[in-house]
Amino acid sequence: MTKFNDLKLDPKVLQAIAEAGYETPTPIQEGAIPPALEGRDVLGIAQTGTGKTAGFVLPMITLLGRGRARARMPRSLVLAPTRELAAQVAENFDTYAKHTKLTKALLIGGVSFGEQDKLIDRGVDVLIATPGRLLDHFERGKLLLTGVQIMVVDEADRMLDMGFIPDIERIFQLTPFTRQTLFFSATMAPEIERITNTFLHTPARIEVARQATTSETIEQRLIEITPTRKDQSAKQKRELLRAVINAEGEACTNAILFCNRKTEVDILAKSMKSHGFNAAPIHGDLDQSQRTRTLDGFRDGTIRFLVASDVAARGLDIPAVSHVFNFDAPSHAEDYVHRIGRTGRAGRKGVAVTLAVPADKKYIDAIEGLVGRPIPRANAPEDFALSEAAQRPARKDDGKAKGRGRDRDDRKGRPVKPHGEEAAMSPVEAAPQARKPERDAPERDEAKEAKEAKDGAKSNGRRGGKSDGRKRREDRDAPVVGMGDHVPDFLTRGLKTEKA
Ligand code: AMP
């Protein structure tokens, strides 16, 4: 068996690897490192979780060991599709380059240009960036790409999903023809094939097995639910999800809950919290510091449930996730593979539960086609029964967070197809006046929510209504002894006025 010591890596890199506790390279590392060290282009077909990041970071550090960076001319470039993935590459770099003097800069959205400019001005060996942010810097004239000797494209298939391929092509053209290219993708879509044919020169091609077909450590289950009311489909699924989580008990140490849309991510996270679950959302609309805080919290165990969209969670390296729940069946089959691959990592056992409504059948068929076998069916927990509330007609404002205009996942240019609940939306839910896209809908405190929505609507329609609205809110927020939280709003105001 090959050991890291057999690879011709810089002794400083080997020392850092040993300190990280790794002895044996993973298959993608074993395949990619030797040709990369020879200066060859590499085409790695591998998913996250295979160790591919170290597969390119380790040879890069070794190759860059000789030479020095010049101002504004990075010597190497790593492109990643999302901020989180870029940050993860940067972390890997810090780990493996700690005994070297190499410098890096991370160019991602949500961080001020000024700080990033300063680093680039000083000269960096490794520039890690998302494509859009890199081009922003380039266009501001702060960056020259003519010194790039090694260029890495990570998660190219995700770049394709997010509409970044034109940016990638442009960046390729801005770098020297003589550069070395290390290119990684989980799949080889025709568009990816075209890019690699154009920009890679006789690459060493290394393919490692797909996760979904090899990972026997993930127990998969599909629970089908036929909502008794179409307009309460999401609510009924939330009740089922809670029941499934509760039935898992302590075996569920932590979990990622996947939704297809950002609005649903927010709704589910709020709903989980209101039912006493330690949950937090992550998606592309949250600012960077919030996303980082949430991820750190999930990694260190202070957050137990991460409610996520595909883009936000894809490729994230969170080693110990006991469960994945697909609150929405993914509408792209390959997303299923990526989602469930968040659990059952590094030989640990994992459980992946998918909830599906009848409208999801076509997605489930596509997933089963891709992974080449049926997802085992499972029943809802024995004691599961829908609440009465979930079987009553939906409140008028139930759909208020589902703004159509912004109804995309974080990926650029590809609207997430509505399905299931949304496709089945009742006329009441779909009525424009019932929508309030700027707010998300928690399940509890329903009377209060409905009242606030109404108050807001009224005050918006009235001149001077804003201050009126604020005053009413202040009145309402003052504690009213003995009335609890669930008192109809008009009652609390009346009592408050009398007491004051
Ligand atoms: P990646 O596919 O790059 O996201 O890596 C997945 C995980 O594998 C990360 O937690 C790495 O720290 C870990 N890892 C990378 N290389 C090795 C190795 N040779 N042996 C064991 N774990 C590794």
Side-chain angles (χ1 to χ4, degrees):
M1 197 192 290
T2 310
K3 298 263 182 220
F4 276 115
N5 288 334
D6 304 329
L7 304 174
K8 295 183 179 119
L9 291 163
D10 184 326
K12 289 176 186 153
V13 175
L14 290 173
Q15 190 187 340
I17 296 170
E19 286 166 12
Y22 304 138
E23 275 187 15
T24 320
T26 64
I28 188 75
Q29 292 164 358
E30 195 179 337
I33 293 173
L37 287 176
E38 285 168 18
R40 287 186 63 191
D41 283 0
V42 170
L43 172 57
I45 303 162
Q47 295 186 343
T48 186
T50 54
K52 69 177 163 56
T53 317
F56 61 79
V57 169
L58 303 178
M60 270 175 88
I61 300 171
T62 301
L63 291 168
L64 294 169
R66 288 154 255 143
R68 276 194 56 217
R70 288 161 58 192
R72 289 194 288 152
M73 288 180 70
R75 299 167 65 207
S76 67
L77 177 62
V78 181
L79 295 173
T82 65
R83 304 165 187 185
E84 279 76 15
L85 284 168
Q88 214 163 275
V89 174
E91 267 173 38
N92 267 262
F93 178 81
D94 289 343
T95 305
Y96 300 123
K98 67 179 178 184
H99 299 301
T100 74
K101 291 202 170 83
L102 296 177
T103 56
K104 66 142 207 299
L106 179 62
L107 300 190
I108 52 176
V111 179
S112 85
F113 276 97
E115 285 299 307
Q116 298 179 334
D117 283 345
K118 257 190 243 162
L119 284 172
I120 297 171
D121 278 349
R122 256 185 259 147
V124 289
D125 297 295
V126 183
L127 188 59
I128 303 160
T130 50
R133 188 63 164 203
L134 181 88
L135 286 173
D136 285 348
H137 276 271
F138 180 80
E139 274 151 19
R140 290 166 71 247
K142 298 287 181 185
L143 184 62
L144 287 168
L145 294 175
T146 44
V148 171
Q149 298 157 26
I150 307 171
M151 172 161 158
V152 179
V153 179
D154 195 15
E155 303 252 346
D157 52 334
R158 206 57 181 174
M159 304 268 198
L160 175 67
D161 282 350
M162 296 172 77
F164 285 151
I165 293 298
D167 288 350
I168 300 292
E169 287 190 71
R170 176 143 181 249
I171 296 166
F172 264 126
Q173 281 153 358
L174 295 170
T175 59
F177 178 73
T178 51
R179 66 163 193 271
Q180 178 183 8
T181 308
L182 311 176
F183 192 100
F184 292 83
S185 185
T187 56
M188 285 303 284
E191 184 68 354
I192 304 280
E193 192 90 50
R194 183 183 68 76
I195 297 280
T196 56
N197 289 340
T198 311
F199 296 106
L200 271 64
H201 306 290
T202 54
R205 185 182 165 114
I206 298 104
E207 184 160 0
V208 300
R210 297 183 71 95
Q211 233 168 2
T213 51
T214 55
S215 186
E216 299 300 333
T217 55
I218 305 171
E219 181 197 331
Q220 300 175 53
R221 285 181 230 153
L222 180 74
I223 303 180
E224 289 160 316
I225 171 173
T226 304
T228 59
R229 294 189 56 89
K230 284 180 176 172
D231 60 346
Q232 289 286 46
S233 174
K235 191 178 177 75
Q236 295 188 1
K237 274 166 67 182
R238 289 195 291 269
E239 290 193 350
L240 173 60
L241 177 67
R242 294 196 297 271
V244 176
I245 290 173
N246 285 333
E248 288 299 297
E250 286 182 7
C252 180
T253 49
N254 63 352
I256 306 181
L257 320 181
F258 281 100
C259 301
N260 287 356
R261 291 173 292 137
K262 287 187 278 200
T263 47
E264 195 66 67
V265 168
D266 280 329
I267 295 170
L268 182 60
K270 282 191 180 178
S271 166
M272 292 291 290
K273 269 192 268 185
S274 74
H275 284 87
F277 292 89
N278 175 358
I282 183 156
H283 57 67
D285 277 358
L286 301 171
D287 72 47
Q288 184 60 32
S289 62
Q290 212 172 346
R291 286 158 67 162
T292 308
R293 246 194 339 267
T294 301
L295 276 178
D296 287 348
F298 189 62
R299 282 199 180 102
D300 70 21
T302 49
I303 293 170
R304 185 173 166 217
F305 296 100
L306 186 68
V307 189
S309 65
D310 287 291
V311 171
R314 181 136 171 199
L316 291 180
D317 179 30
I318 304 164
V321 177
S322 77
H323 285 59
V324 163
F325 294 96
N326 290 320
F327 176 75
D328 292 314
S331 48
H332 300 276
E334 82 269 20
D335 283 340
Y336 180 80
V337 176
H338 287 275
R339 288 181 184 187
I340 72 165
R342 310 292 84 227
T343 182
R345 302 185 82 174
R348 289 188 183 88
K349 290 237 175 296
V351 177
V353 182
T354 301
L355 307 187
V357 295
D360 294 330
K361 185 177 179 309
K362 53 185 175 297
Y363 304 123
I364 302 300
D365 289 348
I367 292 165
E368 294 183 331
L370 178 73
V371 300
R373 57 175 124 163
I375 309 173
R377 270 37 176 190
N379 292 324
E382 253 175 34
D383 55 353
F384 172 65
L386 286 171
S387 71
E388 269 187 36
Q391 298 182 72
R392 283 200 294 267
R395 285 176 302 121
K396 257 178 139 185
D397 61 338
D398 260 3
K400 65 191 172 185
K402 296 167 192 148
R404 282 260 201 268
R406 309 196 57 211
D407 221 5
R408 289 164 184 263
D409 199 344
D410 324 30
R411 60 198 84 180
K412 252 195 205 167
R414 194 180 73 171
V416 172
K417 285 181 212 140
H419 68 92
E421 173 205 353
E422 195 172 53
M425 202 175 274
S426 74
V428 172
E429 230 183 336
Q433 70 273 24
R435 294 181 174 281
K436 260 185 119 252
E438 69 281 13
R439 300 188 62 218
D440 300 315
E443 264 187 309
R444 293 206 323 183
D445 285 348
E446 292 184 349
K448 191 172 166 194
E449 277 286 320
K451 182 71 177 64
E452 278 181 6
K454 240 190 282 164
D455 280 354
K458 265 193 229 153
S459 60
N460 286 342
R462 196 194 300 140
R463 233 174 294 140
K466 205 170 179 184
S467 57
D468 270 276
R470 193 178 310 131
K471 177 156 189 333
R472 272 201 304 279
R473 215 165 298 125
E474 277 162 15
D475 286 351
R476 193 171 49 232
D477 290 345
V480 179
V481 178
M483 296 306 290
D485 281 343
H486 301 282
V487 180
D489 203 54
F490 68 92
L491 261 182
T492 64
R493 268 193 289 133
L495 284 169
K496 170 78 172 54
T497 312
E498 272 172 28
K499 281 189 164 196

